Amino acid sequence: MTVSDRQNHKPETGAFFQRDRDWHAPALTPGYKTSILRAPQKALLSLDNTISEITGPVFGHSMLGELDNDLIHNFAKPGESAIGERIIVHGRVLDERGRPVAGALLEFWQANAGGRYRHKKETYLAALDPNFGGCGRTITDDEGYYFFRTIKPGAYPWPNGVNDWRPAHIHFSIFGHGFAQRLITQMYFEGDPMIWKCPIVNTIPDRRAIEQLIAPLDWSNTIPMDARAYKFDIVLRGRRSTFFENRPEGN
Amino acid sequence: MVQELGYLKETASQTAGPYVHIGLTPNFCGIPGVYKSDLGASMVNDKTLGQRITVKGRVIDGAGMPLKDALIEIWQADAGGLYNSPAEMRGTADPNFTGWGRCPTSAEDGVFTFETVKPGRVPFKDGRLMAPHITFWIVARGINIGLHTRMYFPDEAEANAEDPLLARIEYRHRAETLVAAGTAPSYTFDIHLQGEKETVFLDI
């Protein structure tokens, strides 16, 4: 589809499928200690979507800078680059019906190769990389595809249990087409033995839901003598068709 | 056996963690130069229609402490009651109003601030008008899945009394947790994650 085709394409306005809250982590997960005082204790108020949740902000490709999806270079001095294992992360954003989500804004952030975040509250003794900031963003194309280039983040210790370490991970923030689709999650790397030890990973009760967060090595898209590739598909909530709604959308 | 429905499962949420600012508000957290400005930092400009308001507040944990590492996003209609979204079918929203804002809570006192406009009323599914409201989405370290809630206005008692969502709250005193304090043009909306004053959160 061209841009003009998309503008002529009638947007979908149905309510989103209800969230399966047995698939997601519950709010209270004592193994992840900070959740104890930050988890609501009363039941959520259930509500079918209104127009306040069916709508949401949509961002245009024009907001992106040239290096926004290149974390190896977007904070580096001219002619230099971040240190670490060079990788490409790519995939599709789909909804639960398997349809591509075009125009979805993805933002990502991560530690450097040594597991050190560029954040003033971070005190881990591993060094900062002067050429690595750790943030990036992109917008999916008409088929829902996205990609970015980065260095593989390192594991890092955190004060939860005495000896807890996070597996290597990249944080993702995703906007779909409605505010009810808003999602933040984390991507892990195939074969990392620390995934199954992590109290944050283990907040998710269903092993299949965890496996859906693990990106496989994608040898086919690895660029010889340059960067390996990992493929990470993201699924947002599907939406009902409006055929059977008793009122036209928006009412 | 029956046919397979064939639906995919939604990607599971994970906490935004303590360093969410690196990705979502890099300029705020001292990573300048990657983006010109932080997304969602400004919702209005000189031409935006409607009554300017300021919404401030804190997110407070079960021990009564404000979160200093939370990130709040808001989504709301413009002054005319239209959303700046392709899914808005009732008309065209004010092009000088984004409808969406993002603000981290301050590392010093945990306060978030939005400079916005008072939203107009929008319809519920059955056509009744909802009271003016702002949708809130809260993420932070320790929060496994983003929390949705709404802020209503203390000076809209009549509209609030007929609001279909507020009417759904079985324990009537809990409806007050969704109504901000203060008077126009300055409102305070504190969000309590748990305990006696726990804010009503939504499964929407």
Side-chain angles (χ1 to χ4, degrees), chain B residues 65-147:
Chain B
M65 299 286 285
L67 272 58
K68 295 174 178 176
D69 53 10
L71 182 108
I72 318 287
E73 291 183 8
I74 64 172
W75 173 242
Q76 63 165 99
D78 68 8
L82 292 170
Y83 281 101
N84 192 345
S85 162
E88 174 58 85
M89 294 289 118
R90 299 167 300 145
T92 303
D94 180 356
N96 293 302
F97 181 61
T98 66
W100 174 78
R102 174 186 274 171
C103 186
T105 58
S106 142
E108 286 76 44
D109 56 12
V111 172
F112 63 80
T113 306
F114 291 99
E115 302 294 339
T116 180
V117 296
K118 190 168 179 186
R121 296 179 74 171
V122 300
F124 193 60
K125 281 163 56 79
D126 60 10
R128 282 182 290 165
L129 285 178
M130 296 191 276
H133 63 271
I134 298 175
T135 297
F136 274 68
W137 186 70
I138 302 122
V139 294
R141 174 172 69 102
I143 295 177
N144 290 326
I145 182 165
L147 296 167

Side-chain angles (χ1 to χ4, degrees), chain A residues 44-63:
Chain A
L44 301 178
L45 178 69
S46 298
L47 189 78
D48 195 14
N49 293 167
T50 72
I51 191 166
S52 302
E53 294 82 34
I54 288 168
T55 56
V58 170
F59 304 89
H61 291 259
S62 60
M63 67 172 264

Side-chain angles (χ1 to χ4, degrees), chain A residues 117-135:
Chain A
Y117 281 97
R118 187 173 286 279
H119 193 286
K120 50 188 166 244
K121 281 202 179 164
E122 161 72 279
T123 55
Y124 183 32
L125 44 76
L128 282 170
D129 177 346
N131 288 311
F132 188 74
C135 62

Side-chain angles (χ1 to χ4, degrees), chain B residues 5-189:
Chain B
L5 277 168
Y7 293 123
L8 304 174
K9 292 299 288 183
E10 187 188 10
T11 298
S13 173
Q14 289 261 266
T15 180
Y19 307 130
V20 59
H21 315 101
I22 293 173
L24 303 193
T25 54
N27 291 290
F28 168 87
C29 92
I31 303 178
V34 181
Y35 310 145
K36 266 184 237 157
S37 59
D38 288 337
L39 206 59
S42 171
M43 302 174 70
V44 295
N45 64 35
D46 293 344
K47 296 179 195 152
T48 306
L49 304 172
Q51 180 192 2
R52 301 300 175 100
I53 60 169
T54 303
V55 177
K56 285 183 191 243
R58 296 171 300 162
V59 182
I60 297 160
D61 73 12
M65 299 286 285
L67 272 58
K68 295 174 178 176
D69 53 10
L71 182 108
I72 318 287
E73 291 183 8
I74 64 172
W75 173 242
Q76 63 165 99
D78 68 8
L82 292 170
Y83 281 101
N84 192 345
S85 162
E88 174 58 85
M89 294 289 118
R90 299 167 300 145
T92 303
D94 180 356
N96 293 302
F97 181 61
T98 66
W100 174 78
R102 174 186 274 171
C103 186
T105 58
S106 142
E108 286 76 44
D109 56 12
V111 172
F112 63 80
T113 306
F114 291 99
E115 302 294 339
T116 180
V117 296
K118 190 168 179 186
R121 296 179 74 171
V122 300
F124 193 60
K125 281 163 56 79
D126 60 10
R128 282 182 290 165
L129 285 178
M130 296 191 276
H133 63 271
I134 298 175
T135 297
F136 274 68
W137 186 70
I138 302 122
V139 294
R141 174 172 69 102
I143 295 177
N144 290 326
I145 182 165
L147 296 167
H148 283 271
T149 188
R150 280 187 186 182
M151 182 198 113
Y152 288 85
F153 292 85
D155 40 13
E156 292 282 350
E158 204 175 312
N160 292 344
E162 61 187 29
D163 182 82
L165 183 144
L166 291 175
R168 287 276 298 274
I169 300 172
E170 185 180 353
Y171 298 96
R172 294 311 305 153
H173 67 280
R174 296 203 65 215
E176 293 160 21
T177 66
L178 300 189
V179 182
T183 49
S186 232
Y187 300 96
T188 302
F189 185 53

